[in-house]
């Protein structure tokens, strides 16, 4: 008889413009689905969807917890609570993949990287009483101290794994936004991103049949699909094939749905691709523009220019596809004027919604290694590493200036005039999104100012432009 296993995805510490539409990361749901197929009883709690039922969790002997950097303190608190009750805690996710020693202070096991195979082998070893030493991708407590087994190879074929069973998620509604991953990996190397260090440089794609099967299994008529790939249009020919299939399925089987996805600006250079996106139900795209400062785009290794951003906005708007633009502020080539210009640019281009994010050096990224080597990190309170707080010393601004100017930019973007303009055009979706964005900024700003008061000795340090910085390592 297999043990019952509960999975927990820790709650996000702060709100943002899309907090009203929580989308679970797929890791916990997929692992629970795999183990269910092997005969385990599984349940998933996504704290951003519904509160944890502690009575049910306490009935489990094994607990799996997933965390990113900003949710790590909450994840560790949950883990400590459960271990105190004698539960076996397994923790995974990007943050602990890069900081397994830290995680082992709170968990019995750490699953590093992709966990599908590691988790199955670990549970078998626990049940059999066999050695943990040969399980790739596992960190654990050996008699000699913390042990980190060799890394596990990235999964080459994604098709054999089942479609995530969202019925295992407590509080999940069939009408919720359905997250679908069609690929893993990214060949780009943006300095602030941990994707390639977690999932590799090489794209690994699911077959078209597999993707259609997952959508059919999880999205009843009228559901909204969010393709969570880091770059949905990475391989344009393959994306076009998928979109043609979606159009054909809608015509022949009635499987019609609206969707959104994360793409790069370069997708807009292909008119046929944009046409297929629109015809297959694309309503809006999430684009990491990152900056309107050419120097910053080069520093981020973004491999695009401001001209590409302008072209992307115009091309998507021309086909009636809305844009959510994401900008990262605070690089060594950014000053307060850069932040103000970013807000003006977003309004001028009539981008429907934005997130102005404070550059955040996440463990596992090149910028984290650089700032840590230079002594520029203000602290390691991971709950503040959610892109709403200045957690490092910028070169051309003080930390407090970076944070305050970023919030000012968000407040100006989500202005009453912009909200009323959307409503006057009968664009109620953007009007309501703007209203929610305005309320989110107002709430987040209260926490922001409290942070600045609590950290006043650090956040008011002067810009580093006149100080000598240690060389990159």
């Amino acid at each position: 008889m297999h043990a019952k296993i509960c999975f927990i995805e820790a709650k996000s510490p702060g709100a943002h413009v899309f907090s009203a539409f929580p989308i679970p990361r797929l890791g916990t749901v997929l692992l629970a689905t795999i183990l269910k197929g092997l005969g385990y009883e599984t349940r998933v709690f996504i704290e951003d969807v519904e509160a944890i039922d502690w009575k049910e969790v306490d009935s489990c002997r094994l607990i799996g917890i997933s965390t990113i950097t900003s949710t790590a303190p909450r994840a560790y608190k949950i883990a400590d609570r459960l271990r105190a009750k004698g539960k076996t805690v397994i923790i995974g996710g990007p943050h602990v993949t890069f900081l397994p020693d830290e995680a082992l202070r709170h968990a019995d096991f750490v699953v590093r990287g992709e966990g599908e195979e590691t988790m199955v082998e670990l549970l078998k070893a626990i049940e059999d009483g066999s050695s943990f030493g040969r399980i790739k991708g596992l960190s654990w407590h050996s008699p000699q101290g913390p042990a980190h087994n060799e890394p596990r190879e990235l999964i080459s074929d994604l098709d054999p794994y089942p479609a995530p069973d969202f019925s295992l998620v407590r509080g999940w509604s069939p009408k919720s936004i359905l997250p679908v991953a069609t690929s893993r990996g990214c060949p780009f190397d943006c300095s602030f991103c941990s994707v390639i260090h977690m999932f590799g440089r090489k794209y690994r794609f699911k077959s078209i049949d597999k993707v259609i099967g997952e959508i059919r299994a999880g999205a009843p008529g009228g559901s909204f699909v969010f393709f969570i790939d880091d770059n949905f249009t990475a391989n344009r020919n393959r994306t076009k094939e998928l979109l043609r299939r979606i159009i054909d399925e809608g015509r022949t089987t009635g499987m019609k749905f609206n969707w959104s996805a994360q793409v790069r600006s370069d997708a807009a250079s292909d008119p046929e691709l944009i046409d297929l996106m629109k015809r297959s139900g694309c309503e809006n795209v999430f684009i990491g523009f990152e900056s309107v400062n050419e120097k910053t785009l080069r520093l981020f290794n973004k491999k695009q220019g401001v001209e590409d951003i302008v072209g992307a906005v115009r091309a998507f708007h021309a086909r009636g596809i809305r844009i959510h633009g994401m900008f990262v502020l605070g690089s060594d080539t950014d000053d307060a004027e850069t932040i103000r210009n970013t807000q003006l640019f977003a309004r001028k281009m009539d981008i429907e919604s934005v997130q102005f994010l404070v550059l955040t050096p996440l463990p596992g990224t090149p910028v984290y290694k650089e700032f840590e080597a230079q002594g520029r990190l203000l602290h390691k309170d991971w709950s503040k590493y959610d892109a709403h707080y200045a957690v490092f010393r910028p070169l051309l601004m003080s930390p407090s200036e970076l944070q305050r100017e970023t919030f000012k930019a968000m407040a100006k973007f989500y202005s009453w005039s912009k909200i009323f303009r959307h409503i006057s055009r009968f664009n109620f979706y953007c009007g309501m999104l703007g209203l929610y964005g305005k309320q989110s900024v107002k709430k987040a700003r209260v926490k922001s100012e409290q942070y600045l008061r609590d950290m006043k000795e650090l956040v008011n340090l002067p810009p580093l432009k006149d100080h000598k910085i240690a060389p990159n390592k």
Side-chain angles (χ1 to χ4, degrees):
M1 180 71 178
H2 290 310
K4 180 180 178 181
I5 304 173
C6 281
F7 289 90
I8 297 172
E9 184 180 300
K11 186 175 179 60
S12 304
H16 53 77
V17 66
F18 285 103
S19 292
F21 314 100
I23 300 174
R25 298 183 294 279
L26 288 180
T28 52
V29 187
L30 179 56
L31 288 176
T33 305
I34 292 170
L35 295 176
K36 177 186 175 185
L38 294 175
Y40 292 88
E41 181 183 354
T42 59
R43 172 65 77 181
V44 181
F45 293 93
I46 310 292
E47 282 199 289
D48 285 331
V49 173
E50 185 169 300
I52 295 172
D53 181 342
W54 289 110
K55 184 177 180 180
E56 182 166 3
V57 171
D58 287 342
S59 71
C60 298
R61 184 167 64 85
L62 297 171
I63 315 291
I65 301 175
S66 173
T67 184
I68 57 176
T69 296
S70 64
T71 63
R74 171 65 179 167
Y76 292 157
K77 184 177 181 181
I78 293 171
D80 292 342
R81 177 190 190 278
L82 293 169
R83 289 184 83 202
K85 293 190 171 186
K87 309 297 182 183
T88 297
V89 173
I90 307 162
I91 195 163
H95 182 79
V96 301
T97 291
F98 302 119
L99 298 176
D101 283 307
E102 174 188 279
L104 281 175
R105 296 199 292 268
H106 306 276
D108 298 284
F109 301 96
V110 176
V111 173
R112 309 190 317 273
E114 296 178 330
E116 288 89 338
E117 300 301 321
T118 304
M119 192 70 173
V120 172
E121 291 179 18
L122 172 59
L123 294 182
K124 186 176 186 303
I126 291 173
E127 292 177 346
D128 294 348
S130 55
S131 172
F132 304 122
R134 294 184 179 180
I135 301 175
K136 293 181 178 180
L138 182 70
S139 294
W140 55 292
H141 299 276
S142 76
Q144 291 74 39
H148 307 291
N149 298 352
E150 66 175 295
R152 183 174 291 275
E153 301 83 0
L154 294 173
I155 297 168
S156 58
D157 185 1
L158 302 174
D159 274 12
Y161 298 100
D165 181 358
F166 287 94
S167 70
L168 298 175
V169 179
R170 175 66 72 88
W172 183 261
S173 165
K175 295 183 179 180
S176 299
I177 297 173
L178 178 73
V180 174
T182 79
S183 69
R184 293 183 190 176
C186 179
F188 297 96
D189 191 15
C190 298
S191 62
F192 54 83
C193 181
S194 63
V195 169
I196 66 167
H197 307 282
M198 182 75 178
F199 297 111
R201 283 184 177 277
K202 183 180 179 181
Y203 281 120
R204 293 163 288 146
F205 298 100
K206 294 177 183 176
S207 67
I208 301 299
D209 285 342
K210 176 67 174 176
V211 174
I212 295 298
E214 288 195 14
I215 296 171
R216 186 178 288 116
S223 293
F224 192 92
V225 172
F226 180 52
F227 292 109
I228 65 169
D229 307 47
D230 292 291
N231 183 6
F232 178 66
T233 58
N235 182 321
R236 294 182 194 175
N237 289 334
R238 183 259 186 184
T239 304
K240 290 176 185 178
E241 182 184 355
L242 172 60
L243 298 180
R244 292 189 187 101
R245 178 70 178 276
I246 290 172
I247 293 169
D248 288 343
E249 288 287 334
R251 184 167 51 245
T252 59
T253 70
M255 189 186 80
K256 296 182 179 180
F257 58 91
N258 293 323
W259 59 271
S260 64
Q262 300 180 103
V263 303
R264 280 176 57 92
S265 297
D266 57 14
S269 64
D270 190 330
E272 182 188 24
L273 175 61
I274 295 183
D275 181 63
L276 287 168
M277 291 172 70
K278 181 64 177 180
R279 288 169 52 205
S280 61
C282 179
E283 288 195 347
N284 56 300
V285 288
F286 291 67
I287 308 180
F289 294 129
E290 316 313 357
S291 183
V292 297
N293 181 341
E294 295 283 5
K295 293 180 180 178
T296 298
L297 290 172
R298 289 193 293 272
L299 187 65
F300 283 165
N301 198 29
K302 190 64 183 176
K303 295 181 175 64
Q304 70 179 22
V306 175
E307 192 173 304
D308 300 309
I309 297 173
V310 172
V313 174
R314 289 174 176 167
F316 280 114
H317 279 172
R319 287 298 282 124
I321 297 175
R322 297 189 295 262
I323 296 171
H324 177 74
M326 295 168 284
F327 298 87
V328 177
L329 307 168
S331 84
D332 283 354
T333 50
D334 285 349
D335 56 18
E337 193 64 25
T338 305
I339 300 174
R340 297 173 195 132
N341 289 338
T342 304
Q343 184 271 139
L344 292 171
F345 174 88
R347 287 177 66 90
K348 178 183 177 182
M349 296 303 299
D350 205 23
I351 298 175
E352 284 80 1
S353 60
V354 299
Q355 283 173 283
F356 296 140
L357 307 168
V358 177
L359 175 63
T360 303
L362 299 174
T365 63
V367 73
Y368 177 84
K369 295 174 183 176
E370 177 185 334
F371 285 4
E372 186 175 46
Q374 295 171 348
R376 295 173 65 181
L377 301 181
L378 299 179
H379 58 77
K380 292 183 180 179
D381 175 358
W382 303 126
S383 68
K384 301 299 186 290
Y385 279 60
D386 66 351
H388 291 152
Y389 301 90
V391 297
F392 71 99
R393 290 188 70 179
L395 191 61
L396 303 179
M397 295 173 277
S398 68
S400 61
E401 186 177 22
L402 168 58
Q403 186 166 316
R404 284 200 169 104
E405 288 294 336
T406 299
F407 271 93
K408 285 180 184 178
M410 284 286 285
K412 287 182 179 179
F413 181 86
Y414 290 109
S415 64
W416 283 116
S417 62
K418 186 175 179 68
I419 294 169
F420 289 141
R421 186 167 70 253
H422 283 310
I423 294 174
S424 69
R425 296 173 180 174
F426 301 101
N427 188 344
F428 298 113
Y429 172 88
C430 288
M432 293 305 296
L433 188 61
L435 183 60
Y436 185 79
K438 188 174 185 64
Q439 293 172 337
S440 298
V441 172
K442 184 177 180 180
K443 291 179 181 178
R445 210 166 182 174
V446 173
K447 292 184 177 180
S448 170
E449 289 300 319
Q450 184 62 53
Y451 170 78
L452 294 177
R453 287 192 294 271
D454 292 342
M455 303 289 293
K456 61 182 178 181
E457 292 185 4
L458 291 176
V459 296
N460 290 319
L461 290 169
L464 279 168
K465 59 185 176 182
D466 298 324
H467 295 246
K468 185 176 181 180
I469 300 176
N472 295 351
K473 296 184 180 180

